[in-house]
Amino acid sequence: MTATQPLELLAPLSGVLLALDKVPDPVFSSRLIGDGLCIDPTSQTLCAPLAGVISNIQDSGHALSITADNGVQVLLHIGLDTVNLAGQGFTRRVQEGQRVEAGQALVEFDADYVALNARSLLTLMLVVSGEPFTVLATDLVQTGQPLMQLSPAPSAQALDEEAGDALFSKPVTLPNANGLHARPAGVFAQAAKGFTASIYLHKQTQSANAKSLVAIMALQTMQGDSLQVSAAGEDAEAAINVLAALLADGCGEAVTRTAEPVATVSSTTLLRGVCASPGSAFGQVVQVTEPELNIAETGAGEALERAALARGLRTATEALQAQAAGGVQADIFRAHQQLLEDPTLLDQAHGLLAEGKSAAFAWNRATVATAKLFQGSGNALLAERAADLADVGQRVLKLILGIADSAWDLPERAILIAEQLTPSQTAGLDTRKVLGFVTVGGGATSHVAILARALGLPAICGVSAQVLGLANGKQVLLDADKGELHLDPDLADIEQREAARQQQALRHQRDVAQAFLPATTRDGHHIEVTANVASLQEVEQSLSLGGEGVGLLRSEFLYLDRNRAPSPDEQAATYTAIARALGGERNLVVRTLDVGGDKPLAYVPMEAETNPFLGLRGIRLCLERPHLLREQFRAILASAGFARLHIMLPMVSLLSELHLARAMLEEEALALGLTELPKLGIMVEVPSAALMADVFAPHVDFFSIGTNDLTQYTLAMDRDHPRLASQADSFHPAVLRLIDATVKAAHAHGKWVGVCGALASEALAVPVLIGLGVDELSVSVPLIPSIKANVRERDLADCQLIARQVLGLEEAGQVREALRLYHAAAVETLPVVEH
Ligand code: PEP
Ligand code: MG
């Protein structure tokens, strides 16, 4: 066969053919792993769709891939969530590395057992090497009938032959600390798909289809690799220029540019990462490593091993309960407890115990497999929860193996360096000795980052693995705000930063001491400062920091770690506990589920969408699934009477959405026998809601402006786009004008307006928001004292002046500059504060 000959793939099963979009699992329907087809099987033997070598087969037999001689790789995956069956119901007929013929039997499965015990029998056939294909069949298919026709990627030899026609970029030295892993590879493949040319990425003698995420990841690139892009076709030249520049820039990741030779191994003076928790610290390197654990596979008898697992789980649960009762971010440890009770995880471990495996082996295998599944889900939030599962997995494993979790013996002024810290390790850090930490893994939204912020510890993550080679005791400067670790810091620089840090700390101390003073401007105008929360624990923390209520309860975050929906009683108990904590005199604004966009929720499966931010998000999804909204309304209504209850609808763009939701709320309240409805308001986060605020105003009790989304929808810039981050700025006059329009319309109808987007938590924005007439600032919990102090330093009249001025500016940068100047002038006129 020559490289360009089409290749026919046979149906691996008999059954009903479905498009991938119909698969109720975003991992597959989003095509993250690869494009392909789905079959709802009527036969029970999975056969090879093409000849090749079994390049991978899961021990459990539910998934395998075949690689043909010309590089085409096809993944076959039987059922959804079948990994949890740990091999039960599957019989493998082939081994990894074995050559198979098209049509050969690969795996037999018990369709009844799988259908009863897994989420679905739907079976996927995905072309993970990325070749385009046409489908040759419709509806019903029989095993062995032609199903797809592919145009395979050219072989290495063919690439050489074609090279005459193709253009090649100059070699690019890969700057990414961890090579082209999923995220940068995804950015690169996405960019490549924007060109019609056929494009390849080359590493030495290997080549990958640049439009295939999996093919790029399979190249296993590393920092410092020399890569080239080739392209053949109409827009080849443009493709080469754009893609080579993208590679050199890190494909959306913060990188040390290789053009500036700061980061060679011997002469590195600076390592970069991503800010996980702000601040800076000067201290000494302390490398923390975890010992290797010795896990025997075979057990000493099922009963003994079952008892060992049960003991480990019980002791871990008790320890987690103690941590949740006293420590920071208790909800994280409660979530860990729930992971220990997860029935799929336990079933998997027990299945392995029944096969004679040891408790340690069974538990480890179950947690590692599930964590991998989370990681590969294509869902950023779930992927970060994989770290929690690994953490709680290790905790139990050590208990089973009888390994004491010795507290680290740390020197003073320690800057911890680790491959990855776990949430338990982070929560247990002695902040008298630890000044900050740096990790190779992790992300800015991980629980470790949340804990670091709660502890006030500066931290950066995603740093090159080079950091693991730094000598213990080396003096370094961690500038987490900039995401930098300085290995050879300048003394004057350190002193300057230290002075700034001390001033900041003193100011913070003063703000916390005065946190219970009202947020009233010097000329007597009161602003309500409330909290953005996602748990009861944050509500309690906000009250201890002078919070005047809850301006935004992000209800979708209450049950983030769940695979199943919480029961109605459980939901009602959560809202009631939060309302009780606030008491009858404070506002509680509960936002109904804002799922979709960047916030998938494991127990609300959704079909993949081309533009999720413009799709079924927030109130749109809830109106499509009214049972979800009605159930949530009932649970929220259970808390009526314990606090001043407000219900808020997210992502409203049409008046009809408000009317529909209000009608449902009224019906549910009536059914519960409530005579008084809670206040009902909407988030203003879509330009149409801001522009039509005068039309909405008679029908709502309040507005709360979500500047995060309002900015992305006003400027048409994805709020998570790595390359647009600096431009998608809520200080843009267009966003401020929409806030202005909303406030004017609301006040004309006697309704109040809050801002709950991140703009409200920005010190620089406080005067402009006061000046525009915003009544409430709902802010991130730790910032409550400083935002209240900020308000107390203002004059309403001055704020109105500066607000009018900035509305007339051209861009966000000018607004920020004007506000900085205003701030500096205002600070100069402030009375000197006694400490
Ligand atoms: C917003 O969009 O500003 C907002 C507060 O909602 P979220 O960030 O949860 O989308
Ligand atoms: Mg929003």
Side-chain angles (χ1 to χ4, degrees):
M1 187 180 74
T2 68
T4 46
Q5 254 180 357
L7 173 65
E8 226 168 55
L9 301 193
L10 310 181
L13 285 166
S14 301
V16 182
L17 202 58
L18 291 172
L20 222 48
D21 314 79
K22 296 279 180 277
V23 179
D25 185 333
V27 178
F28 297 116
S29 57
S30 66
R31 293 174 170 73
L32 182 90
I33 297 173
D35 202 354
L37 285 173
C38 171
I39 296 175
D40 195 356
T42 50
S43 63
Q44 306 195 53
T45 304
L46 183 80
C47 297
L50 75 173
V53 171
I54 304 290
S55 39
N56 175 281
I57 181 160
Q58 300 285 307
D59 290 348
S60 50
H62 74 284
L64 58 87
S65 48
I66 302 176
T67 306
D69 293 344
N70 60 353
V72 168
Q73 196 177 17
V74 175
L75 172 83
L76 298 162
H77 192 288
I78 307 171
L80 302 180
D81 289 352
T82 32
V83 65
N84 298 331
L85 301 181
Q88 286 193 35
F90 296 92
T91 312
R92 300 190 301 170
R93 294 285 172 229
V94 289
Q95 301 299 326
E96 199 158 298
Q98 183 178 335
R99 176 166 281 281
V100 293
E101 293 309 317
Q104 184 173 335
L106 305 171
V107 178
E108 278 161 24
F109 58 96
D110 177 342
D112 290 341
Y113 179 84
V114 177
L116 273 175
N117 292 283
R119 182 144 70 100
S120 160
L121 248 181
L122 292 179
T123 295
L124 292 312
M125 177 163 104
L126 308 177
V127 184
V128 292
S129 45
E131 290 76 13
F133 59 84
T134 46
V135 183
L136 306 174
T138 48
D139 303 333
L140 283 176
V141 292
Q142 291 297 325
T143 308
Q145 89 176 61
L147 183 56
M148 271 184 189
Q149 185 162 318
L150 310 193
S151 322
S155 64
Q157 184 196 344
L159 274 174
D160 286 347
E161 285 163 11
E162 265 184 24
D165 303 331
L167 297 174
F168 277 75
S169 73
K170 287 210 179 90
V172 177
T173 307
L174 191 67
N176 303 62
N178 300 312
L180 290 175
H181 62 94
R183 193 172 297 218
V187 169
F188 187 78
Q190 205 57 37
K193 283 182 195 157
F195 297 95
T196 53
S198 78
I199 307 171
Y200 287 85
L201 184 64
H202 308 266
K203 179 185 123 181
Q204 295 166 342
T205 55
Q206 290 172 271
S207 305
N209 179 343
K211 299 182 184 179
S212 159
L213 168 70
V214 174
I216 296 171
M217 284 169 66
L219 273 186
Q220 300 193 350
T221 51
M222 296 195 325
Q223 186 176 39
D225 275 347
S226 176
L227 304 179
Q228 267 182 293
V229 185
S230 75
E234 226 175 58
D235 49 5
E237 194 173 344
I240 300 270
N241 290 339
V242 169
L243 296 174
L246 188 62
L247 273 183
D249 267 358
C251 297
E253 275 196 325
V255 291
T256 306
R257 287 183 62 96
T258 43
E260 305 154 17
V262 279
T264 57
V265 177
S266 54
S267 62
T268 300
T269 57
L270 178 70
L271 291 174
R272 285 187 210 274
V274 174
C275 175
S277 173
S280 66
F282 174 62
Q284 57 172 316
V285 164
V286 177
Q287 298 280 354
V288 290
T289 45
E290 278 287 298
E292 283 271 310
L293 300 179
N294 228 333
I295 304 172
E297 182 169 343
T298 312
E302 192 182 338
L304 273 178
E305 299 298 336
R306 265 183 192 273
L309 177 59
R311 250 193 330 273
L313 289 169
R314 200 171 43 244
T315 317
T317 305
E318 283 162 9
L320 286 166
Q321 274 164 351
Q323 256 172 314
V328 280
Q329 299 284 327
D331 49 320
I332 293 176
F333 296 105
R334 280 193 210 107
H336 282 197
Q337 259 170 268
Q338 280 166 12
L339 284 173
L340 291 187
E341 291 157 14
D342 189 276
T344 7
L345 204 59
L346 294 176
D347 285 354
Q348 235 176 307
H350 286 146
L352 289 162
L353 291 181
E355 287 173 19
K357 308 290 183 199
S358 73
F361 181 87
W363 174 253
N364 193 44
R365 171 66 73 87
T367 48
V368 168
T370 310
K372 255 195 199 151
L373 198 76
F374 281 5
Q375 248 159 4
S377 67
N379 165 338
L381 290 169
L382 266 188
E384 280 177 354
R385 295 299 85 86
D388 292 298
L389 189 56
D391 183 11
V392 83
Q394 283 288 309
R395 186 192 278 264
V396 176
L397 190 58
K398 283 185 189 160
L399 286 165
I400 297 172
L401 295 172
I403 296 171
D405 219 351
S406 57
W408 291 324
D409 187 15
L410 297 173
E412 301 289 324
R413 299 178 40 253
I415 298 208
L416 303 186
I417 313 280
E419 173 81 41
Q420 172 80 289
L421 287 179
T422 65
S424 348
Q425 287 166 339
T426 313
L429 290 178
D430 180 349
T431 48
R432 286 165 306 179
K433 291 182 171 173
V434 177
L435 300 184
F437 63 83
V438 177
T439 60
V440 175
T445 54
S446 68
H447 275 148
V448 169
I450 295 171
L451 282 164
R453 290 196 286 269
L455 291 168
L457 281 180
I460 60 176
C461 57
V463 178
S464 151
Q466 213 181 333
V467 76
L468 301 174
L470 296 179
N472 277 319
K474 181 175 176 54
Q475 303 291 313
V476 289
L477 175 70
L478 171 61
D479 183 349
D481 298 323
K482 289 194 185 149
E484 293 175 351
L485 183 70
H486 296 258
L487 308 185
D488 193 8
D490 174 57
L491 219 61
D493 192 19
I494 293 165
E495 277 169 13
Q496 213 177 15
R497 283 169 195 263
E498 189 51 24
R501 198 183 63 77
Q502 278 179 10
Q503 266 220 315
Q504 222 175 353
L506 281 173
R507 194 184 151 90
H508 183 67
Q509 266 175 20
R510 185 203 63 185
D511 293 346
V512 171
Q514 299 178 346
F516 290 92
L517 294 178
T520 305
T521 60
R522 291 193 291 196
D523 47 356
H525 177 71
H526 182 69
I527 301 288
E528 184 135 348
V529 179
T530 55
N532 287 353
V533 299
S535 68
L536 171 61
Q537 199 252 341
E538 273 190 305
V539 176
E540 286 161 351
Q541 198 192 349
S542 78
L543 292 175
S544 70
L545 290 173
E548 297 173 330
V550 163
L552 170 64
L553 169 60
R554 286 183 161 104
S555 65
E556 64 279 0
F557 284 166
L558 286 174
Y559 302 104
L560 203 58
D561 298 285
R562 298 290 194 85
N563 288 324
R564 294 195 184 92
S567 71
D569 287 349
E570 204 176 347
Q571 290 187 46
T574 305
Y575 296 123
T576 306
I578 289 175
R580 275 180 194 277
L582 286 169
E585 295 306 310
R586 294 196 185 90
N587 280 359
L588 166 59
V589 181
V590 183
R591 179 172 74 184
T592 56
L593 284 180
D594 183 18
V595 184
D598 62 335
K599 284 185 286 195
L601 195 58
Y603 65 81
V604 182
M606 280 173 293
E607 282 178 19
E609 296 180 297
T610 321
N611 278 316
F613 274 124
L614 302 182
L616 280 179
R617 210 198 133 178
I619 191 65
R620 300 174 190 170
L621 184 88
C622 284
L623 289 174
E624 261 228 341
R625 303 185 192 191
H627 64 282
L628 207 64
L629 187 59
R630 283 182 183 276
E631 184 177 279
Q632 193 181 15
F633 277 154
R634 286 195 294 277
I636 298 172
L637 287 170
S639 69
F642 296 109
R644 290 204 306 241
L645 183 61
H646 294 61
I647 294 182
M648 177 157 76
L649 310 172
M651 272 292 289
V652 171
S653 49
L654 308 171
L655 191 62
S656 57
E657 293 164 338
L658 170 64
H659 289 325
L660 283 169
R662 182 182 283 282
M664 280 189 217
L665 178 63
E666 283 172 355
E667 279 168 27
E668 295 306 326
L670 194 70
L672 290 173
L674 292 177
T675 46
E676 202 184 327
L677 268 192
K679 304 282 183 213
L680 182 65
I682 63 165
M683 292 210 51
V684 175
E685 45 188 353
V686 179
S688 65
L691 293 167
M692 304 274 285
D694 57 334
V695 177
F696 278 96
H699 306 282
V700 296
D701 295 305
F702 66 96
F703 291 103
S704 186
I705 303 177
T707 48
N708 309 335
D709 279 312
L710 188 59
T711 305
Q712 81 163 341
Y713 294 126
T714 303
L715 300 178
M717 289 180 186
D718 185 334
R719 63 194 265 183
D720 294 329
H721 197 298
R723 291 160 70 86
L724 294 174
S726 62
Q727 293 171 63
D729 190 340
S730 299
F731 283 88
H732 195 286
V735 179
L736 301 179
R737 286 178 188 213
L738 290 176
I739 298 177
D740 182 43
T742 307
V743 174
K744 282 187 175 136
H747 286 181
H749 289 83
K751 309 293 163 73
W752 63 267
V753 181
V755 173
C756 62
L759 189 66
S761 299
E762 293 243 14
L764 214 52
V766 169
V768 73
L769 295 177
I770 297 176
L772 290 175
V774 168
D775 304 287
E776 179 228 28
L777 299 175
S778 190
V779 307
S780 151
V781 171
L783 295 172
I784 292 170
S786 64
I787 296 289
K788 287 181 87 175
N790 192 325
V791 173
R792 289 194 294 269
E793 287 162 6
R794 308 285 152 216
D795 277 305
L796 177 61
D798 282 357
C799 291
Q800 285 168 336
L801 246 167
I802 184 79
R804 290 300 126 203
Q805 261 176 27
V806 297
L807 285 183
L809 296 178
E810 289 167 10
E811 52 188 57
Q814 291 175 352
V815 175
R816 283 182 180 273
E817 192 50 34
L819 291 170
R820 257 185 228 116
L821 291 172
Y822 167 77
H823 184 74
V827 169
E828 268 170 30
T829 63
L830 279 180
V832 178
V833 185
E834 298 289 332
H835 298 297

